[in-house]
Amino acid sequence: MEENFKSLEKFNFWNGNVPQQGFLRIAYLDNILGFSNNKLVKVLVGQRRTGKSYILRQIANNLIKNGILPTQIFYLNKEFIDFDFVKTYQDLEILIQLYLKNLNPNGKVYLFLDEIQSIEGWERLVNSYSQDFTANYEIYISGSNSKMLSGELATLLSGRYVSFEIFPFSFKEYTGITRQEANKSSYINYMQSGGLPELFELPNEETKRHYISSVKDTVLLRDIIQRHAIKDPKLLEDVFVYLVNNASNMMSINNITNYLKSSGRKTTFDTIANYIGYIEDTFLIHKAERFDIKGKDTIAGNAKYYCNDLAYKNYLYKGFGYGIGYQLENLVYLALRRLNFDVYVGVIPNKEVDFVAKKGDQTLYIQCAYLLHDETTLNREYASLEAINDNYPKIIVSLDDVSLPQKNGIIHAQAWEFEDLAIRIST
């Protein structure tokens, strides 16, 4: 048991130890800390390696800077092999009680439980500590599967938690960590690289390629193949490759199934549907359903899929043609999701709008275009937005060198300024 406590000491803030903080992600910190000092369980979800662990440690460090004693903070990351012995919620409970006995913290205790989904029955422990009226606990947890909030935890806590989806670096974070000016050149660099935080600690392109490949393999193996006992791992990867290489394109499960069958793969519609669902659950890929702008409802069937990070395309599957316009559309989708919008593909008679973004009573319409270099292109790209008969903000995003004046109330945004514009409009 003493050995177990030494493992805790190694990774916690006690005795003057300050675990690695990484690049400070201020937007997430401000948002999450805005929900602090209450009994709500704070849940960070997102793909592996998007920086959830760093953010948890940054939150803990912020608490310490604001007067909380290091001994009041308990941090455990289940990804570390030092904690392989923590297999069930009972094992975790024993470890927490060991911490309480040895450090005897005075005041509120902050529990930071990182990548908790691999601990059997973790929901019971989180529910118990969050509802313990005999002691004062505040709980922050993280996980890499979207289903962790749709099962027993959601039932047990019944609205007593708040979740935050963590994405790879935004363009603003990218320019911050690379110390570049925000302009067309740096945006294209961002578009042709990736946003996973650890990429920026690696020395060359070959090392980065191996890193991205290992992230992909880890997610597919640990979060899908092992979790769901996948019988055909190669088919699962083929589905992932297809989604990456066709991101920003309208597609259907029938399309994908027929394509794979034509390539000699034996599969079924249900198998492909399940595999896509599993990939979505790990946050590697996001689905945008169609939305009938006039009827104000989603439309079943075809949908678009977007990569959680363009690094998968840029480092692993460069051989497949993938235009800059599609990459731009993918980045705009991610920017909207970071701003907590629900994002759909807009449909109006005989036309399509790239995005209908909704948050509460707010709605934005967004069209993406590589360049508005001539009158024909400009008229075509503006036409879809002009056909919408309401007064919600309409934005067209492009990589043009100059900013265009408003046209019929439609705002033009250069891609590297889009996120700031969306924030101003939606607040």
Side-chain angles (χ1 to χ4, degrees), residues 92-103:
L92 179 55
E93 164 68 2
I94 290 170
L95 202 57
I96 293 173
Q97 291 302 318
L98 180 64
Y99 147 75
L100 294 172
K101 177 183 176 182
N102 283 14
L103 269 68

Side-chain angles (χ1 to χ4, degrees), residues 30-284:
D30 288 348
N31 190 18
I32 298 168
L33 287 168
F35 289 85
S36 62
N37 295 317
N38 53 56
K39 284 284 191 178
L40 287 174
V41 178
K42 272 63 80 173
V43 186
L44 280 62
V45 295
Q47 180 207 302
R48 289 182 186 271
R49 305 294 180 261
T50 54
K52 298 187 298 295
S53 299
Y54 282 111
I55 292 172
L56 284 180
R57 293 196 291 268
Q58 289 171 13
I59 293 168
N61 198 45
N62 183 279
L63 292 172
I64 292 170
K65 286 181 177 179
N66 284 281
I68 300 302
L69 296 175
T71 52
Q72 291 175 254
I73 292 172
F74 174 98
Y75 174 80
L76 180 142
N77 187 336
K78 188 59 178 69
E79 292 289 279
F80 297 148
I81 60 173
D82 302 67
F83 300 112
D84 279 353
F85 66 90
V86 182
K87 300 184 185 301
T88 68
Y89 76 93
Q90 292 100 329
D91 299 330
L92 179 55
E93 164 68 2
I94 290 170
L95 202 57
I96 293 173
Q97 291 302 318
L98 180 64
Y99 147 75
L100 294 172
K101 177 183 176 182
N102 283 14
L103 269 68
N104 191 27
N106 184 29
K108 181 191 288 188
V109 169
Y110 296 82
L111 300 178
F112 289 82
L113 308 173
D114 203 354
E115 294 295 348
I116 196 174
Q117 74 277 351
S118 57
I119 299 175
E120 183 182 339
W122 62 270
E123 302 96 335
R124 296 185 63 183
L125 182 138
V126 168
N127 181 61
S128 176
Y129 274 83
S130 69
Q131 299 307 307
D132 188 348
F133 61 87
T134 66
N136 198 1
Y137 296 100
E138 187 161 340
I139 303 174
Y140 296 79
I141 66 176
S142 80
S144 301
N145 192 288
S146 65
K147 289 293 188 285
M148 67 181 289
L149 293 178
S150 62
E152 188 175 358
L153 179 65
T155 302
L156 288 171
L157 293 183
S158 184
R160 296 191 300 272
Y161 69 88
V162 57
S163 66
F164 308 88
E165 186 170 352
I166 308 302
F167 287 88
F169 282 159
S170 67
F171 175 60
K172 181 176 287 189
E173 290 173 321
Y174 172 83
T175 54
I177 198 169
T178 60
R179 299 180 181 177
Q180 298 181 56
E181 292 292 327
N183 53 35
K184 182 175 181 176
S185 176
S186 58
Y187 193 84
I188 291 175
N189 290 340
Y190 174 59
M191 180 183 290
Q192 295 176 345
S193 176
L196 293 179
E198 291 177 5
L199 273 177
F200 301 92
E201 300 177 6
L202 303 178
N204 54 57
E205 295 299 291
E206 184 63 14
T207 307
K208 291 178 181 180
R209 185 182 69 80
H210 284 297
Y211 170 72
I212 295 299
S213 181
S214 71
V215 171
K216 179 260 299 178
D217 290 342
T218 299
V219 174
L220 294 184
L221 176 63
R222 296 183 62 178
D223 295 333
I224 302 179
I225 294 171
Q226 292 179 350
R227 180 184 178 94
H228 299 285
I230 297 298
K231 296 178 181 178
D232 191 346
K234 180 62 170 62
L235 177 61
L236 174 70
E237 182 160 4
D238 287 346
V239 172
F240 175 66
V241 172
Y242 186 94
L243 293 173
V244 170
N245 284 335
N246 291 277
S248 306
N249 283 312
M250 192 68 70
M251 64 183 90
S252 70
I253 295 174
N254 269 328
N255 295 152
I256 303 170
T257 305
N258 291 336
Y259 169 80
L260 292 168
K261 283 183 176 179
S262 70
S263 302
R265 305 308 305 271
K266 292 183 178 180
T267 188
T268 65
F269 177 96
D270 288 343
T271 297
I272 299 304
N274 287 335
Y275 283 7
I276 291 173
Y278 299 153
I279 294 170
E280 286 183 77
D281 289 344
T282 65
F283 303 96
L284 283 174

Side-chain angles (χ1 to χ4, degrees), residues 171 187 328 331-337 339 341 355 357 364-368 395-398 411-425:
F171 175 60
Y187 193 84
L328 172 61
L331 290 182
V332 170
Y333 172 86
L334 293 175
L336 290 166
R337 289 293 309 277
L339 296 175
F341 282 97
F355 299 121
L364 301 180
Y365 300 114
I366 299 100
Q367 193 76 359
C368 303
I395 306 168
I396 187 160
V397 185
S398 78
I411 304 168
H412 173 244
Q414 293 167 299
W416 50 98
E417 297 179 346
F418 169 71
E419 194 161 346
D420 285 340
L421 173 65
I423 291 172
R424 290 198 302 271
I425 289 175

Side-chain angles (χ1 to χ4, degrees), residues 289-293 297-303 344-348:
E289 296 183 313
R290 292 182 298 161
F291 183 86
D292 182 347
I293 294 174
D297 202 1
T298 55
I299 306 170
N302 293 0
Y344 307 90
V345 178
V347 177
I348 49 180

Side-chain angles (χ1 to χ4, degrees), residues 273-327:
N274 287 335
Y275 283 7
I276 291 173
Y278 299 153
I279 294 170
E280 286 183 77
D281 289 344
T282 65
F283 303 96
L284 283 174
I285 294 288
H286 304 279
K287 179 182 181 181
E289 296 183 313
R290 292 182 298 161
F291 183 86
D292 182 347
I293 294 174
K294 186 176 180 180
K296 308 297 183 187
D297 202 1
T298 55
I299 306 170
N302 293 0
K304 287 189 178 183
Y305 294 86
Y306 295 94
C307 299
N308 196 50
D309 195 321
L310 287 177
Y312 299 109
K313 174 63 194 169
N314 294 330
Y315 289 103
L316 302 184
Y317 312 121
K318 285 188 175 182
F320 189 95
Y322 193 77
I324 289 179
Y326 293 111
Q327 291 176 301

